[in-house]
Amino acid sequence: MSNYDQLTSHYQTIHHFNHAESMLGWDAAANMPSGGSNARSKAMAELSVHIHRLSTQPQLEEWFGNAEKEPLSTEQKASLREMKRKWQQATVVPEDLVQAQSIASSKCEHAWRTQRQENDWVGFEKNWKEVVTLSREEAKIRGEALGLTPYDAMLDKFEPGTTTASLDTLFSDVKTWLPELIEKVLVKQQSDSIIMPSGTFSTASQKALGLEVMKLLKFDFDRGRLDQSVHPFCGGVPSDVRITTRYDEKNFVQALMGIVHETGHARYEQGLPSAFAGLPVGEARSMGVHESQSLFFEMQIGRCKPFISHLSRLSADAFNAHKDPVFAEENLYKIYTQVKKGFIRVDADELTYPAHVIVRYEIERDLINGVIEHTDVPAIWDEKMKASLGISTKDNYKNGCMQDIHWTGGSFGYFPSYTLGAMYAAQYKATMTQTVDIDAAIQSGDLSPIFQWLSDNIWSQASLHTTDELIKRATGETLNAVHFRKHLEGRYL
Amino acid sequence: MSNYDQLTSHYQTIHHFNHAESMLGWDAAANMPSGGSNARSKAMAELSVHIHRLSTQPQLEEWFGNAEKEPLSTEQKASLREMKRKWQQATVVPEDLVQAQSIASSKCEHAWRTQRQENDWVGFEKNWKEVVTLSREEAKIRGEALGLTPYDAMLDKFEPGTTTASLDTLFSDVKTWLPELIEKVLVKQQSDSIIMPSGTFSTASQKALGLEVMKLLKFDFDRGRLDQSVHPFCGGVPSDVRITTRYDEKNFVQALMGIVHETGHARYEQGLPSAFAGLPVGEARSMGVHESQSLFFEMQIGRCKPFISHLSRLSADAFNAHKDPVFAEENLYKIYTQVKKGFIRVDADELTYPAHVIVRYEIERDLINGVIEHTDVPAIWDEKMKASLGISTKDNYKNGCMQDIHWTGGSFGYFPSYTLGAMYAAQYKATMTQTVDIDAAIQSGDLSPIFQWLSDNIWSQASLHTTDELIKRATGETLNAVHFRKHLEGRYL
């Protein structure tokens, strides 16, 4: 057996344990009764220790060394590159640091759940200090190994190839036009009259509606399910994708679009090439590319008029409310494109969302690079929110820098993925329009030509190429934020 | 760290992987879409290889040798004994035989699913031959290692301590009185008029009813759930027990009592001592003792008149059918105690069930010990069914020796557990009656005194004692089939 084949078999073994971990995680969120959590945490910790051990096994170094000298096809070379990436990611950080981070994040995150509600920055800051210190240490070690700045090394975990230099360029461009665009749109929407849903929308009816919409979006129910959890997510494995949502019986709007979003993630997973199943090269390219699929579904398909027309019909059917003006196409469209300045990222609309991301990006970049200290964060947050959205978060930590879970667990470098995803999605749309009559496909109820494009250009490509190559092959150019701007102006102005 | 402590930690590690395996198995039966099965099989096979590797790790031999010389408490000695039992079970059979058995059983079981429907003995026989040959080889190896006959060595896997000698005595006694008792009861019931359920009983209402009954039986919903699967079972882990059932919308009777049965298994698991969580000594004593709990719930509680009175009230509520005579106490009691001779074990009533088990026991005993050949089985089955229940299965393989899954997978030695369980349950009842007013407790709707007895005597004892000791501590004597006979005569004559 060649060393390349040995590596292939080894990474497939790791994948089987990842499969177990993923399903146990889904189960913990979707099914598990409270009393099961202690035993489950221990089982999952054991799995994760075992996966780490397999990922850092000493003989891997020799196998990689030899495999690089073996005659390999282009695809095999890509597979080797991605296995090596996983291996480097796993081995570069010393085990005692990983351990210390795991303890510090658990402690910080656990306390944060109550501290946030109580707006307790002082309490939070004590735990968070340790998380930041250890993340900086991690970033330094990763940076030295990869020849990157500390923050770029953190970005590389989620968005391989993306750098501070490129994000600074992208985001400073957005900052030149976004605030003004938001203001214009707010003025334009001022006179809109919107009828908001009222009454009770049973979970059962909402779920039935969600399943109908998933059918329209060609979710493969032989290889996946829809369930409920407190925090919606897409989990499982490509041949068995588990998406979840959360229902509010007073309002169906958010859960419905949430299902469209998660279906985007799911179809990417379901569309990954089975030839590379269980191998790093067969996985989704990056968090940003993953988000580009969920946001293509949610923003490019989900919020366009012909799709809203389907939602209007299907939701009126589901709630047996054909005469209710809430469900009229025009009204639903207004609901789904309403722009509002607010404190909370996860509640933000398409237009103000990038502002929330840029605030976080600039802060975490400077925090990880040691330009600012963690105690500076609340004041800088307040200042940046005032500058970008004109709202102050002074003394309002719970709706300010304490609102997200990411930083409590040390996930620095993740936030940019959201806006990168939105930008990629707009760029795909611009290219797709040249060969696919998108609106006509949506109107007809057969969205296959759209999905065929995504499958050919993104899903089937998995991690065969770098992100830049992937985007260039799909759209003829690397990331270009002008498509995103045009999309927003087109929809909102 | 002492070698005893090292063993303890090692078996807890194994338990964490067993946790994963158990939950993935539950998920595969209760949730998984068809497309997920290939990846799931691979992930579960990987887990099981890993568990086997951990269970047979070379240093265990030295640890066991040293631990036996370390100063240990009585409980620690019991824990060591049970860990050693697991280790011996895992190491005694050579890996290539385990592998060959796994392949042969999968092949036989897979083909059996269609062959049974087609009554295809000839096709089945070809695959089954290999399963029998390998099981005999396994039995021989186990027997030599344990100083037992081949079949006793197979019994030991499921019922440690139970021997052919004791089963021959027990079952030959049953054969002296059971056929006559069945005949008498059939005559007595001849004139009974029973109103069978008709109409539609929605899955949702049946599930709601099942949950009510589980509440009455004090199932701990903080540490378990009820779901659906094609073959009902009890899975999960003690702090998170997953039971399943199958609903027939034309008849609620079987699913309802099935839930009572699985709740018995579940409460045993939920009642195991948390002090030994994750260790072999903290697990259920044996398959027979497990079945004694499900059958105590199903037969001793579930089919007694005061409990049927609860079922009458709760089911009339659930189906909103208070005037329907189907739900009258007397009628439900007749349904649940109706005796009928039939081909199929899983459809058999309480009274004829032991006859089905004894037929299988006598055949598998002689088959594994080499007294008969696998090609002899259909004829012997026919002969024994005629002798015990007066019905012939000549040329009717699908309702004869091809009806159960057990033998297709090489599970020889398991069948006796069902009747041992029924006998233990009757014996507990006889003892419990001396200190607990069982009928009064059930009538009151607070069954705690019954569960307290089971908890004190069985659940909390886990595997601290051998089965014989456990039964003797609980009831003052080892297994005595006279209690079972008295119970059947009391209920059915």
Side-chain angles (χ1 to χ4, degrees), chain A residues 9-22:
Chain A
S9 156
H10 187 72
Y11 278 86
Q12 279 165 334
T13 294
I14 293 177
H15 172 70
H16 296 143
F17 290 101
N18 285 332
H19 174 138
E21 196 176 42
S22 175

mmCIF file of all heavy atoms in Angstrom, chain A residues 9-22:
data_model
loop_
_atom_site.group_PDB
_atom_site.id
_atom_site.type_symbol
_atom_site.label_atom_id
_atom_site.label_comp_id
_atom_site.label_asym_id
_atom_site.label_seq_id
_atom_site.Cartn_x
_atom_site.Cartn_y
_atom_site.Cartn_z
ATOM 1 N N SER A 9 -6.795 5.946 3.763
ATOM 2 C CA SER A 9 -7.510 5.042 4.671
ATOM 3 C C SER A 9 -7.571 5.617 6.088
ATOM 4 O O SER A 9 -8.598 5.542 6.764
ATOM 5 C CB SER A 9 -6.801 3.683 4.628
ATOM 6 O OG SER A 9 -7.047 2.975 5.783
ATOM 7 N N HIS A 10 -6.479 6.249 6.511
ATOM 8 C CA HIS A 10 -6.438 6.836 7.855
ATOM 9 C C HIS A 10 -7.462 7.971 7.997
ATOM 10 O O HIS A 10 -8.173 8.058 8.998
ATOM 11 C CB HIS A 10 -5.026 7.355 8.134
ATOM 12 C CG HIS A 10 -4.825 7.832 9.533
ATOM 13 N ND1 HIS A 10 -4.751 6.971 10.601
ATOM 14 C CD2 HIS A 10 -4.705 9.084 10.056
ATOM 15 C CE1 HIS A 10 -4.583 7.660 11.719
ATOM 16 N NE2 HIS A 10 -4.543 8.949 11.412
ATOM 17 N N TYR A 11 -7.558 8.823 6.985
ATOM 18 C CA TYR A 11 -8.501 9.940 7.077
ATOM 19 C C TYR A 11 -9.955 9.467 6.959
ATOM 20 O O TYR A 11 -10.860 10.096 7.495
ATOM 21 C CB TYR A 11 -8.131 11.070 6.105
ATOM 22 C CG TYR A 11 -7.059 11.930 6.730
ATOM 23 C CD1 TYR A 11 -5.711 11.610 6.614
ATOM 24 C CD2 TYR A 11 -7.403 13.007 7.546
ATOM 25 C CE1 TYR A 11 -4.727 12.355 7.249
ATOM 26 C CE2 TYR A 11 -6.432 13.763 8.191
ATOM 27 C CZ TYR A 11 -5.095 13.432 8.041
ATOM 28 O OH TYR A 11 -4.133 14.168 8.699
ATOM 29 N N GLN A 12 -10.160 8.332 6.265
ATOM 30 C CA GLN A 12 -11.512 7.775 6.245
ATOM 31 C C GLN A 12 -11.893 7.233 7.628
ATOM 32 O O GLN A 12 -13.028 7.386 8.071
ATOM 33 C CB GLN A 12 -11.637 6.694 5.169
ATOM 34 C CG GLN A 12 -11.862 7.327 3.789
ATOM 35 C CD GLN A 12 -11.646 6.365 2.652
ATOM 36 O OE1 GLN A 12 -10.898 5.399 2.769
ATOM 37 N NE2 GLN A 12 -12.285 6.656 1.516
ATOM 38 N N THR A 13 -10.907 6.647 8.300
ATOM 39 C CA THR A 13 -11.153 6.192 9.677
ATOM 40 C C THR A 13 -11.532 7.380 10.556
ATOM 41 O O THR A 13 -12.504 7.325 11.311
ATOM 42 C CB THR A 13 -9.886 5.503 10.239
ATOM 43 O OG1 THR A 13 -9.660 4.317 9.484
ATOM 44 C CG2 THR A 13 -10.059 5.150 11.700
ATOM 45 N N ILE A 14 -10.754 8.444 10.452
ATOM 46 C CA ILE A 14 -11.070 9.638 11.252
ATOM 47 C C ILE A 14 -12.494 10.106 10.940
ATOM 48 O O ILE A 14 -13.259 10.454 11.841
ATOM 49 C CB ILE A 14 -10.051 10.773 10.965
ATOM 50 C CG1 ILE A 14 -8.665 10.368 11.481
ATOM 51 C CG2 ILE A 14 -10.514 12.083 11.587
ATOM 52 C CD1 ILE A 14 -7.569 11.385 11.195
ATOM 53 N N HIS A 15 -12.848 10.061 9.659
ATOM 54 C CA HIS A 15 -14.182 10.511 9.265
ATOM 55 C C HIS A 15 -15.289 9.703 9.964
ATOM 56 O O HIS A 15 -16.322 10.245 10.326
ATOM 57 C CB HIS A 15 -14.359 10.413 7.750
ATOM 58 C CG HIS A 15 -15.762 10.676 7.305
ATOM 59 N ND1 HIS A 15 -16.337 11.936 7.364
ATOM 60 C CD2 HIS A 15 -16.739 9.849 6.859
ATOM 61 C CE1 HIS A 15 -17.584 11.866 6.936
ATOM 62 N NE2 HIS A 15 -17.859 10.616 6.632
ATOM 63 N N HIS A 16 -15.071 8.394 10.132
ATOM 64 C CA HIS A 16 -16.097 7.581 10.793
ATOM 65 C C HIS A 16 -16.319 8.042 12.233
ATOM 66 O O HIS A 16 -17.453 8.041 12.723
ATOM 67 C CB HIS A 16 -15.711 6.106 10.743
ATOM 68 C CG HIS A 16 -15.663 5.572 9.338
ATOM 69 N ND1 HIS A 16 -14.732 4.656 8.923
ATOM 70 C CD2 HIS A 16 -16.430 5.852 8.249
ATOM 71 C CE1 HIS A 16 -14.920 4.385 7.639
ATOM 72 N NE2 HIS A 16 -15.940 5.109 7.212
ATOM 73 N N PHE A 17 -15.245 8.431 12.906
ATOM 74 C CA PHE A 17 -15.416 8.966 14.263
ATOM 75 C C PHE A 17 -16.037 10.367 14.215
ATOM 76 O O PHE A 17 -16.825 10.731 15.085
ATOM 77 C CB PHE A 17 -14.080 8.957 15.024
ATOM 78 C CG PHE A 17 -13.623 7.567 15.361
ATOM 79 C CD1 PHE A 17 -12.650 6.930 14.612
ATOM 80 C CD2 PHE A 17 -14.206 6.875 16.421
ATOM 81 C CE1 PHE A 17 -12.236 5.639 14.923
ATOM 82 C CE2 PHE A 17 -13.807 5.572 16.727
ATOM 83 C CZ PHE A 17 -12.823 4.948 15.972
ATOM 84 N N ASN A 18 -15.702 11.140 13.186
ATOM 85 C CA ASN A 18 -16.364 12.445 13.022
ATOM 86 C C ASN A 18 -17.868 12.269 12.784
ATOM 87 O O ASN A 18 -18.672 13.062 13.266
ATOM 88 C CB ASN A 18 -15.774 13.200 11.822
ATOM 89 C CG ASN A 18 -14.407 13.780 12.130
ATOM 90 O OD1 ASN A 18 -14.091 14.085 13.277
ATOM 91 N ND2 ASN A 18 -13.584 13.921 11.109
ATOM 92 N N HIS A 19 -18.213 11.240 12.029
ATOM 93 C CA HIS A 19 -19.622 10.909 11.792
ATOM 94 C C HIS A 19 -20.321 10.703 13.140
ATOM 95 O O HIS A 19 -21.366 11.299 13.418
ATOM 96 C CB HIS A 19 -19.684 9.632 10.928
ATOM 97 C CG HIS A 19 -21.051 9.061 10.696
ATOM 98 N ND1 HIS A 19 -21.463 8.581 9.478
ATOM 99 C CD2 HIS A 19 -22.115 8.857 11.519
ATOM 100 C CE1 HIS A 19 -22.707 8.132 9.556
ATOM 101 N NE2 HIS A 19 -23.123 8.277 10.788
ATOM 102 N N ALA A 20 -19.700 9.877 13.985
ATOM 103 C CA ALA A 20 -20.290 9.610 15.304
ATOM 104 C C ALA A 20 -20.424 10.904 16.098
ATOM 105 O O ALA A 20 -21.470 11.192 16.690
ATOM 106 C CB ALA A 20 -19.428 8.601 16.062
ATOM 107 N N GLU A 21 -19.374 11.709 16.087
ATOM 108 C CA GLU A 21 -19.382 12.957 16.850
ATOM 109 C C GLU A 21 -20.486 13.896 16.346
ATOM 110 O O GLU A 21 -21.212 14.524 17.122
ATOM 111 C CB GLU A 21 -18.012 13.635 16.695
ATOM 112 C CG GLU A 21 -17.747 14.707 17.714
ATOM 113 C CD GLU A 21 -16.332 15.272 17.580
ATOM 114 O OE1 GLU A 21 -15.887 15.498 16.423
ATOM 115 O OE2 GLU A 21 -15.684 15.482 18.615
ATOM 116 N N SER A 22 -20.613 13.965 15.039
ATOM 117 C CA SER A 22 -21.591 14.863 14.443
ATOM 118 C C SER A 22 -23.017 14.440 14.803
ATOM 119 O O SER A 22 -23.860 15.264 15.171
ATOM 120 C CB SER A 22 -21.378 14.856 12.927
ATOM 121 O OG SER A 22 -22.351 15.614 12.294
#
